[in-house]
Amino acid sequence: MRTKGKFSALLLLSLTIVLGACNVTTKDEATETPEPAQETEAVVDGTPVDIELLGMSSNEADLNIVRDQLAKNGFNVKLNIQPDYGSFKSQQDAGNFDIALSGWTTVTGNPDYAVRSLFKTGGDYSILADAEIDALIDSASNQTPDQYIETYKQFEQQLVFEKAYIAPLYNSLKAQAFNQDVLNKDTVRISKSRSLPWEEISFKDAAKNGTDALLLQSTMPTLTSLDPIKGNDGSINIINTNQYVRLVNLTDDDKITSEGSLSFNHAIAEGNSDYYFILRDDINFAAIKDKLAVDTGERVGADDVIFSLERAHNKDSVPDHRTYTLHEHIQSAELVTDVAALEATKVSGSDQSVKAALEQGLPANIAELVSDKTQSDSKSGKYQVVKVTTTKPFPQVLNYLAHQSAGIVSKKQVESINTYDVATFDVNKDIPYGDQNTVTEGDKYNNTLYTSGPYILSYKNDYEAVFYKNPAYMKGTKHEPKINNINVRFIKDADSSLSALRSGEIHLYYGVSETKYDVVRGDSKLFLQTIPSNAVSYLLFNTANRPVAESADLRKAVLYSINQDEILAFYNGNKFKAVSTLSPMVKTGLELTADPAKVKEFLNAYKAGK
């Protein structure tokens, strides 16, 4: 998830870009004035090189450390600080930067997701167009883990050291803190990649689950889209993950599981191109009536799955489709109605049939496969099975199917809302499914959401977003949501979020900064959870209209100005060295080492070539 541009130093919700402002440098130098850039000897003629650093005010420490490191190595740094992600993205899209402080969280747990959208030509968030980079990404995607390490090493060598398209800063921990006097500690999960599962959380006093609201927080009151394929950033990742069920999930340590998903089981057929999913029959879509959640009576079924996956991989299914490259390996999704076909198909690397694999732990063995979702009845052995076929053998497709963008929407409802012509879509008059204005209190409020997950958003304002339990979500199972009502408070800065947690204004703070760990540990009512994350912070270079777009020498001068040891020291060792967005998952053996001599060399080469 891109914490799209970043994930706050610690707001990994996500896949969120974050950027910071300018007041703090390092712990020991917080009140010191940076060494004047004009005193540097990095450039032959003594003239510092202008560089514009774009960022958001939510990550001021990182911006100031980077500013000071660049200033000490021959740069005259102009800070372009934006108050929120929307403003930052506008500046980035307009090209008003040389380098942007960015971040990415691989919320699917697989390395292809860590690079495809960001660096491949035409990727959802890519500003690169490099055939060599493209070839390495595609080559690695076809390989097994023991094969792709060398390919990803070549990728990092090209991306970072040869062409300097990014300058890595660090890999983060994922952390959250909650009030253990209020919440049942055993029900609060922290996962390496996936978002916080709301449905499992319970109050310490379970009697309050039906009466009290669980109070959470978010920094972003503007929601990109409540249509899962139209957003992949920190404003909606955790929301859409909890609003729409998927075919599979990730465990807390990034393994693929059917647990808590729309599928009882899944199986990979021989050849690694066909994937089978046997669907549950105990989830209905929820809707909002009079601002309360109601059961629509419409079951979530195979027609919805097929519709959702087909629109997920079709770039032209909606205007401003932001996640299609995650699903470009899907060739087709279809209903299976022939039991014999399941019996005749073997599981990859096994003599077991797909039918036998899908039957493990079912309420009853498969007696019939039905095409009408209303006829599905697991207790009597009547099921729906969906087969997904990929364009090539690609087991990592399962990780993408666990992503929030693969959430299952209602075919009937979405088609009834999205009646516009995609090619001539007019943002001023056409209202697409999931438009945040339809759930925002005011004249435009007209909530048309149909959600397949454990919760549904009723309404939002500038203060909070109010969610209610889906009354028809896996009722009577351990996956039925425990708490009826969840309020997400919009709190823009980290210090205010922590204060709200300590005062009882919120119950859980998702994304605690490493610099606040000691504060949390010093409060007896709070409990801190941490786990190594797949979040990486880095500098992204402008590739279009600035000198850094044309000069690899200039980009490399920035690259070798970055001292990761100083950054890790500021965070008391709670950050880790990184080379690229792959670093948390693939250990290539490469490492960035700050080198003032190389900075001088590359700056001089840049000056000479101007």
Side-chain angles (χ1 to χ4, degrees):
M1 99 206 177
R2 191 167 185 135
T3 33
K4 231 102 204 187
K6 163 170 188 171
F7 48 84
S8 240
L10 292 159
L11 203 122
L12 309 173
L13 277 197
S14 231
L15 308 123
T16 43
I17 270 185
V18 241
L19 314 141
C22 49
N23 280 328
V24 183
T25 55
T26 66
K27 277 190 169 180
D28 296 328
E29 300 173 341
T31 59
E32 294 180 7
T33 301
E35 183 179 320
Q38 52 264 49
E39 294 180 8
T40 183
E41 297 180 356
V43 183
V44 168
D45 61 8
T47 303
V49 174
D50 291 336
I51 199 91
E52 183 174 6
L53 173 58
L54 172 63
M56 287 192 327
S57 57
S58 55
N59 197 13
E60 63 179 351
D62 289 352
L63 281 178
N64 282 292
I65 293 171
V66 170
R67 175 201 61 191
D68 292 349
Q69 290 181 350
L70 291 173
K72 293 174 182 178
N73 279 279
F75 290 94
N76 178 39
V77 183
K78 174 187 176 183
L79 286 174
N80 180 353
I81 308 298
Q82 297 299 314
D84 53 43
Y85 176 70
S87 302
F88 162 80
K89 192 66 169 62
S90 295
Q91 287 290 300
Q92 186 181 46
D93 290 345
N96 296 331
F97 72 102
D98 291 306
I99 46 177
L101 183 55
S102 305
W104 181 261
T105 301
T106 301
V107 295
T108 56
N110 64 307
D112 189 73
Y113 179 82
V115 295
R116 182 169 298 276
S117 286
L118 292 176
F119 306 122
K120 194 170 188 294
T121 303
D124 301 317
Y125 298 94
S126 176
I127 59 174
L128 304 187
D130 188 306
E132 188 169 9
I133 294 291
D134 293 348
L136 289 167
I137 291 173
D138 285 336
S139 178
S141 73
N142 296 328
Q143 297 174 330
T144 59
D146 60 325
Q147 297 170 328
Y148 64 45
I149 293 176
E150 179 57 33
T151 306
Y152 281 131
K153 181 177 182 178
Q154 295 175 34
F155 166 84
E156 285 189 335
Q157 186 66 38
Q158 290 297 315
L159 180 79
V160 180
F161 299 102
E162 296 298 328
K163 298 174 180 177
Y165 290 132
I166 68 168
L169 300 181
Y170 55 76
N171 168 217
S172 294
L173 283 170
K174 185 176 184 178
Q176 62 191 26
F178 61 87
N179 190 322
Q180 60 184 334
D181 292 343
V182 175
L183 301 182
N184 181 340
K185 186 190 301 185
D186 295 334
T187 67
V188 183
R189 288 171 52 184
I190 185 168
S191 306
K192 186 175 182 183
S193 293
R194 72 161 290 176
S195 295
L196 176 68
W198 289 352
E199 70 269 24
E200 297 190 19
I201 301 175
S202 172
F203 286 110
K204 194 169 186 178
D205 178 0
K208 294 182 177 181
N209 288 345
T211 58
D212 291 13
L214 171 63
L215 304 177
L216 306 177
Q217 55 75 230
S218 173
T219 61
M220 300 181 179
T222 301
L223 309 180
T224 303
S225 177
L226 299 164
D227 182 342
I229 65 173
K230 292 193 65 177
N232 188 19
D233 60 79
S235 74
I236 48 77
N237 277 335
I238 195 168
I239 290 174
N240 284 343
T241 295
N242 285 285
Q243 285 202 127
Y244 299 98
V245 72
R246 296 159 302 284
L247 284 174
V248 288
N249 281 322
L250 290 177
T251 63
D252 291 345
D253 59 352
D254 286 350
K255 302 295 189 297
I256 297 294
T257 180
S258 291
E259 184 79 7
S261 76
L262 181 58
S263 304
F264 281 117
N265 289 314
H266 67 276
I268 306 174
E270 193 171 19
N272 294 340
S273 288
D274 291 329
Y275 303 79
Y276 292 84
F277 306 87
I278 188 162
L279 306 187
R280 303 180 68 99
D281 58 352
D282 58 356
I283 303 176
N284 286 358
F285 288 102
I288 293 295
K289 183 177 181 180
D290 298 327
K291 290 194 173 181
L292 296 176
V294 297
D295 176 3
T296 64
E298 181 189 348
R299 180 178 291 175
V300 182
D303 58 337
D304 305 299
V305 171
I306 293 167
F307 172 75
S308 298
L309 297 187
E310 286 179 344
R311 71 195 298 265
H313 77 83
N314 177 8
K315 179 181 180 181
D316 300 319
S317 62
V318 291
D320 196 23
H321 195 325
R322 300 192 182 186
T323 60
Y324 66 91
T325 60
L326 303 185
H327 306 291
E328 64 184 5
H329 292 98
I330 296 176
Q331 178 174 289
S332 63
E334 59 186 301
L335 185 70
V336 179
T337 57
D338 183 4
V339 178
L342 300 182
E343 293 176 327
T345 305
K346 300 296 184 184
V347 172
S348 179
S350 169
D351 289 331
Q352 186 183 39
S353 71
V354 167
K355 178 177 180 289
L358 294 179
E359 285 179 331
Q360 293 180 13
L362 291 183
N365 284 342
I366 301 171
E368 183 182 353
L369 297 179
V370 297
S371 57
D372 183 349
K373 65 185 180 184
T374 66
Q375 300 302 309
S376 182
D377 181 8
S378 57
K379 292 180 180 178
S380 61
K382 295 181 180 180
Y383 296 94
Q384 288 199 303
V385 169
V386 172
K387 180 175 76 169
V388 175
T389 300
T390 54
T391 55
K392 61 183 179 181
F394 188 64
Q396 289 189 58
V397 72
L398 291 173
N399 293 78
Y400 290 122
L401 293 178
H403 186 255
Q404 63 88 16
S405 61
I408 308 305
V409 297
S410 166
K411 179 178 187 294
K412 176 183 175 182
Q413 182 70 356
V414 172
E415 287 185 333
S416 73
I417 301 298
N418 289 357
T419 57
Y420 54 80
D421 181 354
V422 174
T424 59
F425 178 80
D426 185 345
V427 68
N428 295 311
K429 67 180 182 69
D430 295 322
I431 302 175
Y433 175 82
D435 188 327
Q436 74 143 4
N437 290 316
T438 64
V439 298
T440 302
E441 288 185 312
D443 294 341
K444 294 183 178 180
Y445 179 84
N446 180 30
N447 194 325
T448 57
L449 295 177
Y450 265 45
T451 66
S452 59
Y455 287 90
I456 183 169
L457 174 57
S458 173
Y459 64 89
K460 67 174 283 290
N461 49 43
D462 291 338
Y463 175 62
E464 66 182 356
V466 175
F467 296 81
Y468 292 108
K469 169 183 174 178
N470 179 345
Y473 186 84
M474 301 194 197
K475 287 182 68 66
T477 74
K478 65 180 180 179
H479 302 295
E480 179 181 354
K482 306 296 187 298
I483 294 176
N484 286 351
N485 177 207
I486 294 178
N487 293 1
V488 177
R489 301 277 168 81
F490 298 124
I491 306 173
K492 285 198 171 184
D493 66 90
D495 286 342
S496 297
S497 292
L498 183 56
S499 295
L501 177 66
R502 300 188 71 186
S503 67
E505 295 175 55
I506 60 174
H507 300 140
L508 185 148
Y509 175 17
Y510 187 85
V512 181
S513 168
E514 290 95 333
T515 60
K516 303 299 182 182
Y517 286 1
D518 288 344
V519 175
V520 174
R521 291 184 177 119
D523 190 326
S524 61
K525 67 178 177 293
L526 302 184
F527 185 79
L528 179 70
Q529 292 175 308
T530 63
I531 190 172
S533 78
N534 290 335
V536 174
S537 185
Y538 59 95
L539 301 177
L540 176 67
F541 289 94
N542 192 328
T543 58
N545 61 349
R546 294 292 181 95
V548 292
E550 303 298 329
S551 174
D553 288 325
L554 182 55
R555 297 196 299 270
K556 289 178 182 179
V558 173
L559 174 70
Y560 287 105
S561 297
I562 301 303
N563 188 323
Q564 293 187 0
D565 289 325
E566 290 181 356
I567 300 174
L568 269 55
F570 174 79
Y571 286 105
N572 295 319
N574 288 314
K575 300 284 192 186
F576 312 99
K577 289 190 175 182
V579 175
S580 77
T581 48
L582 289 169
S583 295
M585 293 153 292
V586 183
K587 305 304 179 186
T588 64
L590 298 176
E591 183 175 334
L592 173 64
T593 302
D595 192 332
K598 285 186 177 180
V599 175
K600 181 177 180 178
E601 173 191 344
F602 287 121
L603 274 182
N604 288 343
Y606 163 69
K607 299 277 285 187
K610 289 181 66 175

